[in-house]
Amino acid sequence: MKILVTGGGGFLGQAVVRALLDRGHEVATLNRSAYPALEALGVAQHRGDIGDADAVEIACRGREAVIHVAAKAGPGLHGPDFVRANVHGTRNVVDACRRHGIGVLVHTSSPSVVHAGGDIEGGDESLPLAEHHPAPYPATKAEAERIALGANGADLRVAALRPHLIWGPGDNHLLPRLIERNRAGRLKLPAPEKKIDTVYIDNAAEAHVAALDDLAGPARSAGRAYFITNGEPRPVADILRGLLEAAGETPRIGAVNPKIATAAAYAVEGVWRTLRLRRDPPISRFVVEHLATAHWFSIEAAKRDLDWTPTVSIDEGLERLRHSCKENP
């Protein structure tokens, strides 16, 4: 198939591109910048912002399917930036699919859309979208998922995937921030024993390809959302310790009272909103909530409908990460 991957230059996007190329698909991407790694793979790169309807329109021409990975993520509080990328961007993708007769759309969502502030242990897709969100990212991702799945129909088959905390070799977001905080002695957890889910990068990419294959075939996933994880929930302290050790770091994980962390988050957010700062705050309610609660999910629906299962375990993934960090210090 002729496939467009939005956000194809990012961590997940590049992994999806490689997985598609391995299966013989013709792949193009829409990125804000040019990526030498994609050029080396022979991928046609369209330069543009997902919030620009014209850029999306051009990138979608001649495509048969779209995997929509592009999004603005993070704990930032400047809502318009998230609305443009996540809400308007998704609407642009849906509109372009309709105009060009593209029949398959895989949308990358987030488990944070169902997080209502409490523990989630073994949650499945029957969980409703949260009514209130502590930050623009989960709020706009929830709206984006509504837009994407709301477009599902006879002419456009749509599925949404909710990968949880993606990590692995090539990660340029989670791991660098984790290392920075660890070295600064600022890695303090309000509930280090709470279990969370993660997903290794190759497993996340393969899930997107599996969704594409299903939508192009039996379409069991059409109109539905799926949690995508390794299916190996572990205490958050264990996960972070493993990532740091794989990166060659000595973990310096401390503890902080959840009430103190929440109070600090409220105070910092007040300053950020008053000054209308666009950079990420050092602490936020969104981050505190996710570090203070359990959140792990069932992946039985994805296994059943997508014929997908994670093939790289956490332990194997950590070994791969360790090797990659030694090879690319």
Side-chain angles (χ1 to χ4, degrees):
M1 297 178 71
K2 297 180 179 180
I3 303 165
L4 173 72
V5 179
T6 71
F11 179 43
L12 174 59
Q14 288 198 30
V16 170
V17 167
R18 291 192 297 269
L20 292 170
L21 291 174
D22 286 345
R23 287 164 173 75
H25 294 293
E26 179 185 313
V27 183
T29 63
L30 174 62
N31 327 299
R32 286 184 296 176
S33 304
Y35 289 84
L38 294 179
E39 183 178 357
L41 293 172
V43 173
Q45 299 181 69
H46 296 273
R47 295 281 298 276
D49 190 300
I50 195 68
D52 181 347
D54 290 337
V56 177
E57 172 84 16
I58 292 170
C60 283
R61 290 175 184 169
R63 300 292 106 184
E64 298 169 286
V66 175
I67 298 182
H68 176 39
V69 179
K72 179 172 177 57
L77 302 174
H78 188 70
D81 292 344
F82 290 87
V83 171
R84 174 178 171 82
N86 299 341
V87 178
H88 297 332
T90 300
R91 190 173 287 115
N92 289 341
V93 169
V94 167
D95 290 345
C97 284
R98 285 171 168 161
R99 281 194 294 271
H100 291 289
I102 295 171
V104 171
L105 170 60
V106 179
H107 171 74
T108 307
S109 186
S110 165
S112 65
V113 301
V114 303
H115 197 278
D119 290 337
I120 300 175
E121 299 176 297
D124 62 21
E125 288 75 11
S126 66
L127 287 170
L129 297 180
E131 295 182 5
H132 304 286
H133 299 278
Y137 173 68
T140 54
K141 288 299 288 184
E143 181 60 23
E145 186 178 290
R146 290 189 190 96
I147 292 168
L149 294 182
N152 180 69
D155 296 328
L156 177 60
R157 296 174 173 181
V158 185
L161 303 187
R162 299 168 175 169
H164 195 279
L165 200 62
I166 306 170
W167 60 276
D171 171 20
N172 56 356
H173 294 290
L174 172 64
L175 190 57
R177 291 184 180 184
L178 186 62
I179 291 172
E180 179 185 5
R181 285 181 172 271
N182 185 66
R183 289 178 177 177
R186 293 188 290 111
L187 193 55
K188 300 184 185 301
L189 303 177
E193 78 288 353
K194 294 281 189 176
K195 288 186 177 182
I196 65 169
D197 263 327
T198 66
V199 61
Y200 184 71
I201 180 62
D202 291 359
N203 295 333
E206 291 296 333
H208 283 73
V209 177
L212 175 81
D213 291 343
D214 174 70
L215 291 173
R220 293 180 295 261
S221 61
R224 302 188 62 181
Y226 296 88
F227 292 111
I228 301 297
T229 81
N230 254 60
E232 301 175 84
R234 294 186 180 184
V236 61
D238 290 359
I239 291 292
L240 299 187
R241 188 177 296 110
L243 292 173
L244 287 168
E245 290 176 345
E249 298 288 320
T250 300
R252 301 170 60 191
I253 301 173
V256 62
N257 185 291
K259 292 182 180 180
I260 293 176
T262 300
Y266 270 106
V268 169
E269 288 187 12
V271 172
W272 248 243
R273 289 194 168 94
T274 298
L275 299 180
R276 298 181 180 179
L277 300 176
R278 296 180 68 167
R279 66 180 184 273
D280 290 349
I283 187 172
S284 70
R285 287 180 297 139
F286 174 59
V287 172
V288 171
E289 279 189 6
H290 279 73
L291 291 176
T293 58
H295 38 100
W296 54 276
F297 305 88
S298 168
I299 55 173
E300 291 307 309
K303 289 180 177 180
R304 179 191 67 235
D305 293 349
L306 305 182
D307 193 24
W308 165 86
T309 190
T311 56
V312 181
S313 69
I314 288 179
D315 289 341
E316 181 181 347
L318 288 173
E319 282 301 315
R320 293 185 183 186
L321 179 60
R322 182 175 290 108
H323 177 75
S324 175
C325 288
K326 286 182 179 179
E327 292 292 314
N328 306 283

